[in-house]
Amino acid sequence: MSSVPLAAYLLLALILFCIGLFGALTKRNAVIVLISIELMLNAVNINLVAFAKYSINPGLTGQIFSLFTITVAAAEAAVGLAILIALYRNRQTVNVDEMDMMKR
Amino acid sequence: MTGEMIAFFFLALTAIAGGVLLINLTNVVHMVVALIFTFIAIAGIYITLSAEFVAVVQVLIYSGAITIIMLFGIMLTRHQEKDRRAPRLKVILTGLAIGLFFLIMYGKIKDLDFGQQNAELHIDNTKKIGIELYSHYLIPFELTSVLLLVALIGSIILAKRDDDEKEAKK
Amino acid sequence: MLQISWLIPLFPLLSFILLLIFRKSRSEGTAWIGVLLTGISLVLSVGIWLAVWQGDEIKTEGTWFHIGERAITMGFEVNPLNALMLVIVSLVSFLVHLYSKGYMHGDERFPVFFAYLGLFSFAMLGLVLSPNLLQLYMFWELVGLGSFLLIGFYYYKPEAKKAAKKAFIMTRIGDVGLFIGMVLLFWQVGSFEYDDIFASVQNGEISSGMLTLTALCIFVGAIGKSGQLPLHTWLPDAMEGPTPVSALIHAATMVAAGVYLVAAMYPLFQASETALTVVAVVGGVTAIFAASIGLMQKDIKRVLAYSTVSQLGYMMLALGASGYVAGIFHLTTHAFFKALLFLAAGSVIHAVHTQNIEEMGGLWKKLRLTGLLFLIGALAISGFPLLSGFFSKDEILASTYADGRYGLFWLAVVAAFMTAFYMFRLFFLVFTGKPRGNQSKVHESPSVMTLPMIVLGVLAVVAGYLNTTWFGTFLSDYLAKGPVELPHGDHHGPGWIPIVATAASLLGIGLAYLIYQKETLSRSWLSRMFPGLSHIIYNKWYVDEGYDATFVKGTKGLSKLGVLFDRYVVDGLVASVTAGVQGLAKAGSRLQNGQVQSYGTAAIFGLVILLLIVALTGGYFS
């Protein structure tokens, strides 16, 4: 019925996840780090939805779970940004590598 | 080569291109804009996976809300316009680790196939999701609203507290 | 009567404990505790001796503990030999206690001195009463401890400290020999008991080579304690202790313990001709060697110390030459006259506050009594006819001759000549001639000091009559009742021996008179005749220097090697370990740079490693 195999979706999700992970670990701008994390979450969502369709027992559960994930991601983005702004007010920077107060 | 496949390739390429741009661009605003493409492409992927409602939510929340929030965040904070490069050694090490991770995972998923089931997910997709949410997933759904509320209040307090302190100091 | 003999050592022990309790006391009345308690010991000892004289003996033992099948016993034994020793020890100890009351007058640690004396007396009496080698060894070490404490009594003087350490270490070398001999005997016989050992020696259960070896090991212990060659150097240095200590420990009792040990183990020695020869040769050589050093010494106590070494050599010579009775006889008489000489020397030192004989002279008029007693002692030790030393020395010479050791016999005669010479050199330099030092405050010692000297003086004169060819051989009859079967019954040499001995001693006295009194011969006459020899003798044959160059330097070199090893190898190892740990810690702390992304990278690395393991091994489920 569908000509695109499951592995293709999973590969796409893996590539996006790796890109997101690389961005999250190497980018210095905190906003970009947050966005990279959103990208990783998206990759996971692709997996969820893909399995919802192509698993042995297809159903809506995967889609609904991805909805919850999106909600949590939105909340996370909001809180993350709030923290970022609070930090920026105190330290005048959004560079991740300058945020090492715990060590100092 | 069916139309579905063509659509998938197009969307996947767009998504990956957005991701690559995110890594390689130097201007922060450009990065976020590049990512919008990725998010929209992912919404298209959802449609090919017979998840219309999720696709719509994706467009609404990611491409709309989250990206806008991020842009606000960028605008509210001062930046060197160009994001400085990370130290070379760190990039290489991280890339190495992620590359290994990719290879291992790829080796495991490339032949994964559970066979095709005749699932009618695209028929009345939104309605079915609504019924599920309000029956089977009612409690998690309500809890999500609590989570969102907490996030809302928390964000306001976090972003606002410093002003109070400054006023108290004055 | 004999059942209570175990009480004898306990009185000095009690004195030790009591005096330790009162050690802070400033009162010199504390001395009476020691005097009284040793006095009780003396009375008991004499009583027991009289009972033994009647032919009584006792041996009481109880099991102390078991080693496997073998029982180790403890107890006490009284036989003629140790009854005699009991009397000598407790008598000298008592007299020295009394004497010290005067001599130590005004010392800050007065009670402590008496406490140490008590400890020493306890140990010495216990040693004498021991019925087995193990018990003897314990008291042997205790005696060494007492000696150490008393030599180092003036511990604020560096020489005294050094001398105490030296005495302790030198005697320890001998003690190791004794210990080895003891263990060998236990291995061979399975018992520390004298009786068991003698029985198995008699039954020929021990091979002759092993017999010689054990006898020699035990003799090494005796060498250490009795200051024989080559371990004699501690004894002259031990003169840094107070003079009464020298009289008690380093003249009369402790140094005689070596002789006593050989005498007590005599059947073992008798069984090995080699061992007896070694004993005789060591004794004879020590006798003349120490006497030669005594010729040139300037310190009054050192002269006496070398004389002690020499006389102990005589005793060893006698024992080695099968002159058992002669050895014990000389031990007895020597204890009296040497203690007398030391006490008299102490009295002189007490009066003039110097030990250098060059600064004395002309003391005869001022110290009439001391001088007279010193003269008696000197005559006795020189072997002047009819005094005690004459008889005992004659006995030794006779038995040496009878044993067929003619070389050693003439050595002993020469040593006797030297003894007479240096004793009278001492006497003339100290008591006659013109005063050479400041003697304004010289006065006779108090009666508490002269009284013990008088007692010893009397004994020094009459003790010889215990065993004479003329009046009766009481002592040898008495000792014959002991556990030791005496060698040849009658070994009185030819009649000319006493004449030779007397001639030698008179010659020595006469020569000393000519050089130091009449000064018809210059004092440097001898040293000019043999300049090299006299130089060597003056420096005590360079024995100390030799030990210093070999053993001390060797030990120091070894220690330096050890230090280098420790500093570079051990410390290097430790340092490299610490450096390694520190480096690791530094690397670890550098990883902790507080950056979230670094931690994330590390986490990814960990995840990758885990995944690699799972991927390569196929995972848990496959």
Side-chain angles (χ1 to χ4, degrees):
Chain A
M1 188 179 84
S2 179
S3 53
V4 182
L6 173 64
Y9 289 104
L10 293 184
L11 182 59
L12 173 65
L14 180 60
I15 290 169
L16 288 178
F17 183 84
C18 285
I19 289 171
L21 188 58
F22 187 78
L25 289 181
T26 55
K27 291 292 163 184
R28 301 157 64 104
N29 191 313
V31 178
I32 303 302
V33 170
L34 275 179
I35 276 193
S36 299
I37 292 170
E38 299 299 335
L39 187 58
M40 286 159 75
L41 283 167
N42 255 302
V44 173
N45 278 347
I46 293 175
N47 272 8
L48 286 172
V49 175
F51 278 122
K53 188 178 179 191
Y54 288 112
S55 74
I56 296 165
N57 195 11
L60 282 174
T61 313
Q63 295 187 9
I64 290 170
F65 203 93
S66 72
L67 283 176
F68 284 123
T69 315
I70 289 168
T71 320
V72 173
E76 177 243 309
V79 174
L81 212 67
I83 292 174
L84 201 70
I85 287 170
L87 206 65
Y88 179 72
R89 288 216 176 106
N90 279 331
R91 313 245 319 157
Q92 311 299 319
T93 181
V94 286
N95 277 356
V96 178
D97 53 1
E98 286 169 47
M99 293 175 190
D100 50 1
M101 288 95 89
M102 292 284 263
K103 201 202 168 194
R104 281 184 190 151
Chain B
M1 184 67 77
T2 61
E4 191 188 359
M5 209 163 235
I6 293 166
F8 174 77
F9 270 115
F10 177 70
L11 290 168
L13 275 176
T14 314
I16 293 169
V20 172
L21 282 176
L22 167 78
I23 300 297
N24 284 327
L25 286 175
T26 49
N27 190 313
V28 184
V29 178
H30 292 175
M31 289 178 182
V32 176
V33 173
L35 213 60
I36 292 173
F37 285 101
T38 308
F39 288 149
I40 289 172
I42 289 170
I45 296 283
Y46 288 157
I47 289 172
T48 67
L49 284 167
S50 1
E52 304 146 16
F53 185 69
V54 180
V56 172
V57 169
Q58 168 82 9
V59 172
L60 267 176
I61 294 188
Y62 274 102
S63 311
I66 290 182
T67 316
I68 299 303
I69 287 181
M70 290 301 167
L71 283 173
F72 265 111
I74 291 164
M75 286 169 200
L76 284 172
T77 54
R78 189 167 50 84
H79 294 274
Q80 305 102 339
E81 272 302 298
K82 299 191 171 174
D83 189 28
R84 280 178 298 142
R85 292 273 172 195
R88 191 163 207 87
L89 180 70
K90 189 175 157 192
V91 173
I92 291 170
L93 274 178
T94 316
L96 192 73
I98 291 169
L100 271 171
F101 174 75
F102 175 83
L103 285 176
I104 294 163
M105 293 312 285
Y106 177 69
K108 291 289 165 188
I109 62 174
K110 68 175 192 276
D111 296 325
L112 201 62
D113 195 7
F114 297 112
Q116 300 269 326
Q117 262 78 21
N118 194 10
E120 301 292 326
L121 293 179
H122 56 283
I123 301 166
D124 286 339
N125 182 267
T126 309
K127 187 181 172 187
K128 278 189 207 156
I129 286 175
I131 291 166
E132 282 283 298
L133 273 182
Y134 282 98
S135 58
H136 196 227
Y137 296 101
L138 183 62
I139 292 173
F141 182 73
E142 294 298 336
L143 281 176
T144 313
S145 68
V146 175
L147 178 76
L148 282 172
L149 186 63
V150 168
L152 179 70
I153 296 170
S155 308
I156 291 168
I157 288 173
L158 274 172
K160 204 171 171 261
R161 184 178 281 167
D162 278 319
D163 292 345
D164 290 347
E165 279 172 7
K166 272 178 192 164
E167 278 165 19
K169 272 179 194 168
K170 283 171 191 172
Chain C
M1 182 71 196
L2 291 185
Q3 279 78 21
I4 57 160
S5 55
W6 58 274
L7 283 172
I8 297 174
L10 294 188
F11 287 108
L13 181 64
L14 183 66
S15 147
F16 168 61
I17 293 166
L18 281 178
L19 285 165
L20 270 193
I21 292 168
F22 295 122
R23 70 186 180 282
K24 298 281 179 202
S25 165
R26 308 290 299 169
S27 158
E28 299 195 352
T30 45
W32 294 116
I33 297 176
V35 173
L36 191 72
L37 288 168
T38 41
I40 297 172
S41 282
L42 172 63
V43 171
L44 283 175
S45 303
V46 171
I48 281 160
W49 184 50
L50 289 176
V52 175
W53 192 272
Q54 306 296 325
D56 230 355
E57 270 193 52
I58 192 168
K59 183 175 175 187
T60 306
E61 281 187 306
T63 306
W64 181 18
F65 62 86
H66 292 272
I67 301 177
E69 304 274 292
R70 286 158 182 175
I72 304 297
T73 54
M74 274 196 116
F76 64 95
E77 180 180 19
V78 179
N79 57 32
L81 174 63
N82 63 16
L84 182 67
M85 284 297 289
L86 276 183
V87 174
I88 296 171
V89 172
S90 54
L91 176 65
V92 177
S93 172
F94 170 71
L95 293 175
V96 164
H97 268 84
L98 199 61
Y99 179 88
S100 305
K101 168 83 173 69
Y103 187 85
M104 297 304 285
H105 171 72
D107 194 280
E108 252 181 41
R109 293 158 72 227
F110 191 83
V112 177
F113 179 78
F114 281 86
Y116 289 168
L117 279 185
L119 174 67
F120 172 80
S121 306
F122 157 69
M124 191 67 208
L125 291 166
L127 188 154
V128 169
L129 280 172
S130 301
N132 60 47
L133 271 177
L134 186 66
Q135 205 176 330
L136 175 126
Y137 185 75
M138 286 169 8
F139 283 113
W140 185 268
E141 295 295 348
L142 263 181
V143 167
L145 172 69
S147 159
F148 170 76
L149 289 173
L150 284 166
I151 295 170
F153 185 71
Y154 299 133
Y155 58 84
Y156 39 82
K157 284 198 329 201
E159 299 89 14
K161 245 193 300 194
K162 264 170 128 177
K165 277 189 281 186
K166 187 172 179 182
F168 204 65
I169 290 165
M170 293 293 269
T171 48
R172 181 52 29 83
I173 297 170
D175 294 349
V176 171
L178 172 60
F179 188 78
I180 293 170
M182 202 171 95
V183 171
L184 282 177
L185 274 179
F186 187 74
W187 177 42
Q188 293 288 315
V189 181
S191 167
F192 288 121
E193 298 295 310
Y194 293 148
D195 296 347
D196 297 348
I197 292 169
F198 297 160
S200 56
V201 167
Q202 224 109 54
N203 299 338
E205 286 168 21
I206 309 174
S207 71
S208 67
M210 186 52 79
L211 261 178
T212 309
L213 184 65
T214 49
L216 286 181
C217 281
I218 285 174
F219 182 56
V220 169
I223 284 178
K225 261 307 187 255
S226 290
Q228 300 295 291
L229 267 180
L231 296 179
H232 68 282
T233 55
W234 69 269
L235 189 51
D237 283 13
M239 295 302 134
E240 292 295 341
T243 311
V245 170
S246 309
L248 174 62
I249 300 182
H250 306 117
T253 56
M254 187 186 87
V255 290
V259 180
Y260 169 77
L261 178 67
V262 176
M265 299 298 294
Y266 206 60
L268 184 69
F269 285 89
Q270 272 179 309
S272 166
E273 188 58 36
T274 323
L276 277 183
T277 309
V278 170
V279 173
V281 170
V282 168
V285 173
T286 306
I288 189 156
F289 174 83
S292 71
I293 298 173
L295 294 175
M296 310 282 288
Q297 293 301 306
K298 284 186 176 149
D299 183 318
I300 181 168
K301 282 177 74 182
R302 272 175 191 267
V303 175
L304 291 176
Y306 280 108
S307 144
T308 306
V309 174
S310 165
Q311 298 302 311
L312 289 165
Y314 263 113
M315 296 172 209
M316 288 295 183
L317 171 63
L319 290 174
S322 306
Y324 180 80
V325 176
I328 302 299
F329 187 26
H330 197 59
L331 169 65
T332 314
T333 55
H334 174 258
F336 296 140
F337 59 66
K338 187 48 69 60
L340 168 64
L341 282 169
F342 265 111
L343 293 187
S347 177
V348 171
I349 294 165
H350 192 66
V352 299
H353 298 293
T354 176
Q355 301 193 5
N356 191 344
I357 50 176
E358 302 285 352
E359 294 171 16
M360 297 176 184
L363 289 170
W364 180 259
K365 290 195 193 88
K366 286 173 179 150
L367 301 173
R368 192 52 66 81
L369 188 56
T370 306
L372 181 68
L373 290 163
F374 193 92
L375 180 61
I376 292 173
L379 285 171
I381 195 173
S382 305
F384 195 76
L386 306 184
L387 273 73
S388 58
F390 169 72
F391 297 108
S392 56
K393 208 172 270 188
D394 178 40
E395 189 95 10
I396 290 174
L397 291 172
S399 53
T400 312
Y401 189 83
D403 204 44
R405 301 178 196 274
Y406 303 114
L408 289 172
F409 169 77
W410 289 111
L411 219 59
V413 171
V414 176
F417 160 74
M418 284 183 176
T419 307
F421 178 75
Y422 67 67
M423 282 318 298
F424 276 87
R425 166 178 174 263
L426 198 60
F427 176 77
F428 289 130
L429 280 176
V430 172
F431 287 102
T432 65
K434 292 196 183 73
R436 287 184 295 273
N438 179 19
Q439 298 182 352
S440 53
K441 287 188 216 155
V442 171
H443 55 83
E444 186 58 272
S445 302
S447 57
V448 75
M449 283 166 71
T450 50
L451 194 69
M453 283 153 62
I454 292 167
V455 174
L456 284 171
V458 172
L459 281 169
V461 174
V462 302
Y465 296 95
L466 273 174
N467 198 32
T468 62
T469 37
W470 310 329
F471 301 109
T473 52
F474 307 115
L475 189 70
S476 57
D477 299 342
Y478 165 74
L479 286 173
K481 285 181 268 183
V484 176
E485 218 165 295
L486 291 187
H488 347 272
D490 184 29
H491 47 66
H492 288 289
W496 50 267
I497 286 178
I499 300 167
V500 169
T502 313
S505 89
L506 286 177
L507 205 64
I509 296 171
L511 194 63
Y513 180 75
L514 284 179
I515 293 177
Y516 296 102
Q517 177 67 10
K518 283 285 164 203
E519 300 188 353
T520 40
L521 287 169
S522 160
R523 282 171 63 180
S524 52
W525 170 67
L526 264 175
S527 47
R528 258 190 280 125
M529 259 174 71
F530 310 100
L533 188 67
S534 70
H535 192 68
I536 292 174
I537 290 175
Y538 182 73
N539 285 299
K540 304 166 222 161
W541 296 88
Y542 291 106
V543 173
D544 273 325
E545 286 77 3
Y547 286 165
D548 196 53
T550 52
F551 297 113
V552 177
K553 287 265 163 61
T555 312
K556 274 187 182 162
L558 224 66
S559 319
K560 268 188 193 140
L561 268 181
V563 166
L564 289 182
F565 182 79
D566 184 63
R567 192 165 297 157
Y568 292 107
V569 179
V570 177
D571 284 6
L573 219 68
V574 172
S576 59
V577 167
T578 53
V581 173
Q582 267 182 352
L584 215 68
K586 265 185 191 148
S589 76
R590 199 169 302 135
L591 281 178
Q592 302 283 324
N593 58 3
Q595 306 228 344
V596 185
Q597 289 179 327
S598 307
Y599 300 162
T601 310
I604 291 296
F605 260 108
L607 178 67
V608 167
I609 289 166
L610 286 178
L611 283 175
L612 259 180
I613 292 168
V614 170
L616 292 178
T617 61
Y620 181 76
F621 294 103
S622 54

